Amino acid sequence: MAVKYFQKFCGKNLPFKELDCSICEQFKNFMLSSPSVGQDKRKISLNTASSYFDKFRNTLKNAFINKYIFTDFSTVVKGIKLEETHRCFLFLNELQSMANAKCESQLVKKAGLFSALTGFRFSDIKKLVWGEIQGFKGSYYILYKQSKTGNAEYYPISDKTLEILGPPKENNEKVFEGIKYDDVIKFLKPWLKNAGINKYFTFHGFRHTFATLQLASGTSIYTISKLLGHRNLKTTEIYTKIIDSVARKRH
């Protein structure tokens, strides 16, 4: 999606030699004012713009390291400051409704439920291969490297979670072979409707669902932070605010 936004901004291929600070700043302003390039034409949120622009800045850094450009624009052009938001998540009964509801894409449904039970990001789900799932009944685990952080992770999973994935295949085959985020955008909203859920919710909300349900059930925030692969505990602490806010509303 970050690439799509840059293509829309440029309207053409942009040679490295034409890249300068002015263009980078113009792209940042474009991200802050542009409507969505996806199927949903709403303007993207500030935090989404921040995420996509950070990917752009990371690309600039790599271009500099690999000598495609000779100025490290990533250190000159500042990122878009995040704002604290209410993260979308599902209550346990809503997640159960999702599990029971019909989804036109079984692959999207399987990926969504797996994310809600593990906290995996879409990027990690997309690249997961069967050889990374190891162990035996009652003691399965996943050995993988996180796409976002690059950290190698050991991740225990339950037998029930593994059942969602279906029969295992060859070690080098992807568990969610053929999954595309465009399909998530296409099938998630009707799936929510079939489950009787009327709220703004994205695929990343399944990861938030995992964190909030774990916290609500008494799992240590340190354990949750480790399972989510957060480098900083403060990133995980936002979920304690969610739980506290829900508790206040119920009382």
Side-chain angles (χ1 to χ4, degrees), residues 69-242:
I69 56 178
F70 299 100
T71 301
D72 187 359
F73 296 116
S74 69
T75 62
V76 180
V77 180
K78 303 303 179 183
I80 299 171
K81 188 176 180 180
L82 291 169
E83 66 177 356
E84 190 170 308
T85 60
H86 297 290
R87 302 190 177 192
C88 57
F89 70 97
L90 299 173
F91 290 102
L92 184 58
N93 64 313
E94 291 176 324
L95 181 59
Q96 187 61 57
S97 295
M98 293 289 283
N100 295 335
K102 179 182 179 181
C103 178
E104 293 299 330
S105 170
Q106 284 302 307
L107 191 58
V108 169
K109 182 174 184 178
K110 182 168 71 172
L113 296 178
F114 183 78
S115 177
L117 293 174
T118 61
F120 271 40
R121 300 179 179 88
F122 180 81
S123 56
D124 293 317
I125 283 175
K126 186 177 181 179
K127 70 182 185 64
L128 184 66
V129 296
W130 283 103
E132 292 174 317
I133 302 175
Q134 301 179 25
F136 49 88
K137 189 172 182 178
S139 188
Y140 287 110
Y141 59 92
I142 299 175
L143 288 176
Y144 76 108
K145 183 174 287 188
Q146 285 202 19
S147 292
K148 184 174 181 178
T149 65
N151 292 345
E153 302 290 349
Y154 169 93
Y155 195 103
I157 59 170
S158 68
D159 294 357
K160 288 291 185 182
T161 300
L162 191 61
E163 286 177 11
I164 290 175
L165 304 181
K169 298 181 181 179
E170 296 296 324
N171 283 350
N172 62 344
E173 290 191 55
K174 289 186 176 180
V175 177
F176 298 91
E177 182 64 51
I179 194 165
K180 297 180 292 185
Y181 203 78
D182 284 350
D183 288 338
V184 171
I185 295 172
K186 179 179 179 181
F187 294 112
L188 180 55
K189 194 171 182 179
W191 180 21
L192 286 162
K193 184 177 180 180
N194 290 341
I197 298 171
N198 182 25
K199 64 163 69 171
Y200 175 72
F201 190 79
T202 66
F203 188 90
H204 203 67
F206 288 117
R207 178 172 165 86
H208 298 327
T209 297
F210 168 80
T212 51
L213 291 181
Q214 286 291 324
L215 195 60
S217 67
T219 304
S220 161
I221 191 171
Y222 299 100
T223 300
I224 296 171
S225 186
K226 175 62 178 175
L227 292 173
L228 291 174
H230 288 163
R231 291 178 175 176
N232 193 323
L233 188 63
K234 287 185 177 180
T235 306
T236 318
E237 286 175 347
I238 185 65
Y239 295 106
T240 63
K241 296 180 181 179
I242 293 174

